[in-house]
Amino acid sequence: MKPTNSNDKGYWNPYLAGVALGLTLLASFLMLGAGLGASGGIARVGAFVEGLFSRDHLLHSEYFGQWGKDPLSYYLVFMFLGTFLGALVSAVLSSRLQFKLERGSAASPALRSVLALLGGVIVGFASRLARGCTSGQALTGGAMLLSGSLLFLVCTFIGGYAAAYFVRSQWND
Amino acid sequence: MIETFFGLGTLNSPQGYFAALIIGFCFGFILERAGFGSSRRLAGIFYLRDMAVLKVMFTALVTAMLGLSTSLSLGWIRPEQLYFMPTVYGAHLIGGLLFGIGFVLSGWCPGTGAVGLASGRLDALIFLLGAVAGSVFFNELFAAVKPLYNWGQAGVSFAYEVLGISRMAFGFLLTALAVGCFWGSEYVEATRNRGGTYFRSPFLKAFSLGLLIFSAGLLLLPSSQQFPAGSGLPETGRPSYPKHSDQQLLQAIEGAADHIEPIELADRILRREPQLLVVDVRTPGEFAQFHIRGSINATLSELVEVLQPYRNAGTIVLYSNGMTHPAQARDALYRMGYQNVYILTDGLKGFIETCLKPVSLRSEPVPQEFAARIAAWRNYFVTRATTAPAPERMVESVKVPGQLPGLVDTAWLQSNLGETGLKIIDVRSQPEYNTAHIPGSLFLATDSLRGVIDGIPSRILPEKMLAWHMEQMGITPSDLVVLIAGDAIRDATLAGVALERLGHSNYAVLDGGFGKWLVEKRPVDNALPINLSKSHYPPPTGQRPDSFTVTAPQVLKLMQQPGTVILDVRPKDYFTGEKSDEARAGHIPGAVNRPYTEDVLTTDGYTRLRPLTELATEYAALIPSKDTTIVVHCRTGHQASQTFFLLRHLLGYRNVSYYDAGWTEWAARLELPVSNGS
């Protein structure tokens, strides 16, 4: 294999990483009976936080209300926690744990922060609308060959490429 | 054959959580190794700078797809063991476009955001906070978003079915597309960025060839696995709700999943189970001809409104002639958060066939014991339903206050206004009553039911004085009394306790009180019932003062019996002793604090008791069994009357005592022990 280029700072070969990820997803199918998911855990945290402010309101909201009074009792919450822990172990072992706001060197921290926040809000909302995110729909549903999940995958790329031009300045060096 | 947590229904159990944690750990570790802890690298794909996301994700998708297809076609796992997400074309289309925009703005998606956070990236933290907020916005805007959320429902839909090709052929095409994308990515990186490590590398050639050969090999496998029947129906969208195989269905019935068998329903109706609501969703015409006795009629369009008060309270059973309409309604209700809706297996036809068909008409021999049950069912469901006049059936069909004391709902009360033997007592404040009240209702100040007894203020009056009050209001012992409170349910239950002291168990509390009546725009007036005739109400002759009120010495004695639960329903700070307006602060040693306010809920402009299923669970955690000796008290007996009513009449605790003198007396009698703190 050729030596790694400047993009690959000790990262795994992407194809082999992909195979490993695919086998993890397969293990998830065969053990859990359900695939990977990340946004579900985030939304449960959202429901939990909302419940801290008003439990009555939470229990009576049509969407979050269906998760009951203890929204954190859900397997995807634990999967999300596991994702964080696994990544933490890997980052520490490979000395990639670094506290910083990632941005282009010529871009202002404020611009990057605002875009990260706005993007987060949109992603949080869109994941609920689509009943999943890149993990739960695109990857998991895609591997199951589900129509909606593959449509979601294609639309994610369309939306991303359409908007990329307008926010490119955050990566300017 | 593999059984999954989903298939076993244990995804949300400690074992399921642990498995999910481990899977998540691997997921996070690999994402980090792939370099997805960097937003810049992730966003690179949208600027054709760094195609790692596409390579990793597409490889993962194809790997898992090939593995899953193999497992399914070799029969290692059956489709019922897997949670297939439903397709909703509109929601997936719009959701995908929005998601892509959010992805490129932030440089993160939910899974990689967790990896970024673990890598110390501040922008990942900001992103995740935004994503939590975005989820909350979705919930808050759900009423408006809902049409889009459900736009284009296609149930569980497979792309290869839509295209009309086999699963394996589609898998091969997808693999070929992936390989094409890999080469394209490497080419782009090589030409634009002087990168492209793997372009034309022996590794990529071998890898591509391996994938293509593997997926082509799958074409040789049988692809005709059986997918769950009815996959075209909208799914419930919750992994913990599996579709049923026959065997699972039997287990599910035992575990009360979404079907109820005719025999079980017949027996439960016959037992007059209080929390059972049977709904006939056929037309009113069909309903009038014949229906299951005790059921109410609501067409599909009325269903949501009719069932609102019963959301997750008790058991709702839907039936029609067959099963299609109730199943659709159940799915729709499930998505609205109803988890207590069941459908009658084989519908009314099945019910008649199984339970009501005379033994003489049955082709197969019937064991004697079962024949007796058929006779009992026929006696209840056939004889009565066909001979009783229609109007009476309608009255009876609204949730009859069969279990008294209990709750009645506003619809029942309205349809029974003016009935002889029904007395409506309004226990709100006098100005409130004078402004507007339920037509024909009488005002009663609950303070007039209490007085100084044995030097202790605010105890329930002796039965003779209570009987005198009843006479003034024209109430007789046989009347059905319905108590109407405002926001303070305890006003109604206090009057209820007074009635019980009179041995008058024929009473009910209006669920949701006057507030709900008003919100539902039911009739009110402001006329006073002039010329009210007095009645004769003889005081009871039984135990004095009654069988459930206890005094301080009795409480002291009960305390010493093992297993007694003393429930102090006052607010927490009074229980701990931080606040006090009595002689001493604190609580009875060993008492459990369960503030009465935790049992009520104010929503949509009125206050009511919370769903009984929830309350039952919470109280089960405090009280070991339905036969446990329980003493409820507060400061003066007012708040405790609500808990008393709830435990004794709605949750079925058989041994509940009411210490009405409460903390007022206990604190003042210095010989009685007191605890402080929590």
Side-chain angles (χ1 to χ4, degrees):
Chain A
M1 215 178 292
K2 285 183 194 173
T4 55
N5 70 6
S6 58
N7 266 340
D8 300 344
K9 300 163 190 157
Y11 299 139
W12 279 358
N13 172 327
Y15 300 104
L16 297 182
V19 170
L21 189 55
L23 293 176
T24 303
L25 175 55
L26 183 61
S28 188
F29 284 142
L30 299 184
M31 266 172 70
L32 299 180
L36 301 169
S39 62
I42 291 176
R44 295 276 169 161
V45 170
F48 175 76
V49 171
E50 199 168 341
L52 293 181
F53 289 98
S54 171
R55 211 176 106 113
D56 293 352
H57 179 74
L58 173 73
L59 291 174
H60 278 80
S61 48
E62 193 176 343
Y63 186 73
F64 280 173
Q66 62 184 326
W67 295 343
K69 59 184 172 14
D70 191 8
L72 294 185
S73 296
Y74 191 60
Y75 75 106
L76 285 181
V77 175
F78 291 83
M79 189 178 285
F80 192 77
L81 183 67
T83 307
F84 173 81
L85 293 176
L88 185 65
V89 168
S90 173
V92 169
L93 290 181
S94 57
S95 312
R96 277 193 291 261
L97 178 57
Q98 203 183 351
F99 294 95
K100 67 171 183 184
L101 182 76
E102 205 172 344
R103 62 190 162 90
S105 54
S108 79
L111 172 73
R112 174 66 190 127
S113 303
V114 167
L115 288 178
L117 183 70
L118 189 61
V121 172
I122 296 173
V123 161
F125 186 90
S127 305
R128 289 307 89 213
L129 178 59
R131 298 157 171 84
C133 60
T134 25
S135 316
Q137 283 293 351
L139 185 56
T140 299
M144 289 176 141
L145 305 178
L146 297 170
S147 311
S149 305
L150 290 168
L151 176 65
F152 175 84
L153 174 60
V154 171
C155 289
T156 298
F157 276 101
I158 294 174
Y161 279 104
Y165 176 82
F166 302 100
V167 293
R168 67 191 188 287
S169 62
Q170 62 180 331
W171 306 115
N172 282 351
D173 286 314
Chain B
M1 197 181 81
I2 296 171
E3 290 204 311
T4 63
F5 283 99
F6 170 76
L8 294 167
T10 53
L11 203 46
N12 293 314
S13 69
Q15 295 83 355
Y17 295 154
F18 183 72
L21 189 81
I22 299 299
I23 297 278
F25 187 92
C26 300
F27 183 41
F29 189 93
I30 295 163
L31 286 180
E32 205 288 329
R33 290 282 143 159
F36 291 177
S38 161
S39 48
R40 188 167 192 158
R41 183 166 157 101
L42 287 163
I45 186 173
F46 294 112
Y47 302 99
L48 303 180
R49 234 184 15 234
D50 184 335
M51 305 303 283
V53 174
L54 186 133
K55 297 180 211 169
V56 175
M57 291 315 218
F58 220 159
T59 304
L61 193 159
V62 167
T63 305
M65 182 268 292
L66 294 175
L68 185 63
S69 293
T70 308
S71 307
L72 282 166
S73 71
L74 293 181
W76 296 341
I77 186 168
R78 287 190 54 82
E80 306 89 80
Q81 297 288 324
L82 291 166
Y83 170 55
F84 293 97
M85 286 95 59
T87 287
V88 186
Y89 283 112
H92 281 134
L93 178 90
I94 305 296
L97 292 173
L98 280 176
F99 190 95
I101 295 170
F103 192 178
V104 79
L105 256 60
S106 59
W108 298 108
C109 64
T112 55
V115 177
L117 184 67
S119 306
R121 298 302 193 273
L122 190 58
D123 47 324
L125 178 66
I126 297 172
F127 163 82
L128 288 172
L129 293 175
V132 169
S135 308
V136 171
F137 287 152
F138 182 81
N139 178 51
E140 294 305 312
L141 298 173
F142 190 66
V145 185
K146 208 164 137 189
L148 177 58
Y149 182 73
N150 292 323
W151 178 39
Q153 287 186 339
V156 174
S157 160
F158 295 95
Y160 55 88
E161 281 179 356
V162 173
L163 297 177
I165 59 177
S166 79
R167 181 184 182 90
M168 297 313 180
F170 186 83
F172 179 77
L173 291 177
L174 193 67
T175 308
L177 178 66
V179 168
C181 284
F182 298 154
W183 283 81
S185 298
E186 296 297 340
Y187 175 77
V188 164
E189 286 183 355
T191 52
R192 288 175 62 113
N193 314 312
R194 293 183 303 280
T197 321
Y198 305 101
F199 187 54
R200 289 183 179 162
S201 69
F203 168 79
L204 190 60
K205 285 176 186 165
F207 184 74
S208 305
L209 199 61
L211 282 181
L212 289 170
I213 290 174
F214 194 109
S215 64
L218 287 186
L219 291 167
L220 304 173
L221 289 175
S223 87
S224 60
Q225 334 102 27
Q226 290 178 329
F227 273 87
S231 63
L233 275 178
E235 262 279 359
T236 56
R238 260 174 69 115
S240 53
Y241 218 93
K243 296 215 172 253
H244 303 119
S245 67
D246 288 350
Q247 191 201 348
Q248 279 174 320
L249 184 62
L250 290 171
Q251 289 167 351
I253 290 159
E254 202 169 32
D258 73 339
H259 285 60
I260 183 165
E261 291 295 297
I263 290 178
E264 187 193 340
L265 181 66
D267 283 341
R268 287 171 73 169
I269 295 175
L270 218 55
R271 281 204 302 270
R272 292 167 210 240
E273 193 176 301
Q275 294 296 313
L276 180 68
L277 181 74
V278 185
V279 187
D280 186 326
V281 299
R282 299 172 305 154
T283 63
E286 287 176 293
F287 182 80
Q289 277 183 354
F290 180 77
H291 60 261
I292 296 177
R293 185 176 165 194
S295 62
I296 66 166
N297 184 217
T299 56
L300 290 171
S301 56
E302 302 164 342
L303 212 48
V304 172
E305 201 182 333
V306 172
L307 293 185
Q308 186 55 35
Y310 305 97
R311 175 166 145 165
N312 298 342
T315 305
I316 301 172
V317 179
L318 306 181
Y319 77 87
S320 179
N321 289 321
M323 285 179 75
T324 316
H325 288 129
Q328 286 168 347
R330 192 206 70 89
D331 280 353
L333 289 164
Y334 196 91
R335 279 193 296 275
M336 294 169 70
Y338 286 77
Q339 293 176 22
N340 59 334
V341 181
Y342 301 80
I343 53 180
L344 175 60
T345 305
D346 298 332
L348 185 59
K349 281 179 192 157
F351 188 83
I352 293 171
E353 191 69 20
T354 312
C355 300
L356 304 184
K357 191 172 173 185
V359 176
S360 56
L361 297 180
R362 296 187 185 223
S363 49
E364 77 282 22
V366 177
Q368 198 158 12
E369 190 200 2
F370 192 64
R373 291 174 75 185
I374 293 171
W377 293 325
R378 284 185 54 79
N379 184 34
Y380 185 85
F381 292 105
V382 182
T383 322
R384 277 292 302 266
T386 46
T387 56
E392 198 232 338
R393 274 188 359 241
M394 286 304 289
V395 170
E396 186 188 67
S397 63
V398 190
K399 201 180 172 214
V400 185
Q403 298 280 324
L404 290 176
L407 293 173
V408 288
D409 62 29
T410 46
W412 178 88
L413 184 59
Q414 189 180 352
S415 63
N416 285 277
L417 284 181
E419 290 284 318
T420 48
L422 175 70
K423 295 285 181 346
I424 307 170
I425 304 296
D426 192 324
V427 294
R428 295 174 302 145
S429 77
Q430 205 191 52
E432 286 174 310
Y433 171 82
N434 293 357
T435 309
H437 52 252
I438 296 174
S441 61
L442 294 174
F443 168 74
L444 170 68
T446 48
D447 272 345
S448 65
L449 302 174
R450 309 203 287 176
V452 183
I453 311 287
D454 295 336
I456 299 158
S458 304
R459 293 187 68 181
I460 307 269
L461 292 174
E463 57 284 358
K464 275 186 191 162
M465 296 170 80
L466 296 175
W468 180 85
H469 272 292
M470 297 301 139
E471 292 183 339
Q472 299 309 306
M473 292 188 291
I475 294 173
T476 67
S478 62
D479 282 335
L480 168 59
V481 177
V482 175
L483 300 164
I484 316 295
D487 287 340
I489 300 167
R490 59 189 183 280
D491 291 340
T493 53
L494 184 70
V497 170
L499 283 166
E500 285 184 60
R501 174 162 290 184
L502 286 168
H504 194 129
S505 60
N506 201 17
Y507 80 90
V509 172
L510 180 67
D511 189 18
F514 190 76
K516 182 161 189 270
W517 185 274
L518 213 54
V519 165
E520 294 170 349
K521 299 194 170 57
R522 298 187 189 275
V524 293
D525 73 16
N526 51 15
L528 297 180
I530 315 245
N531 297 330
L532 185 69
S533 55
K534 294 194 180 69
S535 64
H536 179 56
Y537 200 111
T541 52
Q543 196 178 342
R544 296 285 154 76
D546 52 48
S547 57
F548 54 89
T549 303
V550 287
T551 59
Q554 286 173 304
V555 175
L556 202 56
K557 213 167 137 190
L558 288 172
M559 266 170 73
Q560 282 146 15
Q561 288 175 10
T564 300
V565 174
I566 298 182
L567 278 186
D568 185 334
V569 309
R570 293 177 299 157
K572 188 162 181 270
D573 40 6
Y574 283 91
F575 178 83
T576 57
E578 286 163 57
K579 278 192 188 172
S580 171
D581 33 27
E582 293 297 336
R584 289 185 292 170
H587 57 262
I588 299 178
V592 179
N593 185 217
R594 166 75 188 191
Y596 75 105
T597 44
E598 290 186 12
D599 300 338
V600 301
L601 189 62
T602 302
T603 171
D604 305 329
Y606 58 87
T607 304
R608 66 193 303 189
L609 288 169
R610 289 175 39 221
L612 293 179
T613 44
E614 286 178 27
L615 292 173
T617 317
E618 291 171 23
Y619 275 100
L622 295 175
I623 304 168
S625 99
K626 299 276 183 191
D627 290 312
T628 301
T629 304
I630 306 161
V631 177
V632 291
H633 82 89
C634 55
R635 193 174 70 93
T636 65
H638 193 182
Q639 301 165 351
S641 69
Q642 182 191 296
T643 310
F644 175 78
F645 177 81
L646 171 69
L647 291 179
R648 189 173 157 114
H649 302 309
L650 304 182
L651 300 182
Y653 288 93
R654 288 179 277 270
N655 235 330
V656 192
S657 298
Y658 171 65
Y659 176 35
D660 67 338
W663 192 249
T664 300
E665 179 191 30
W666 197 276
R669 291 178 66 162
L670 299 178
E671 74 276 18
L672 296 172
V674 165
S675 285
N676 273 303
S678 54

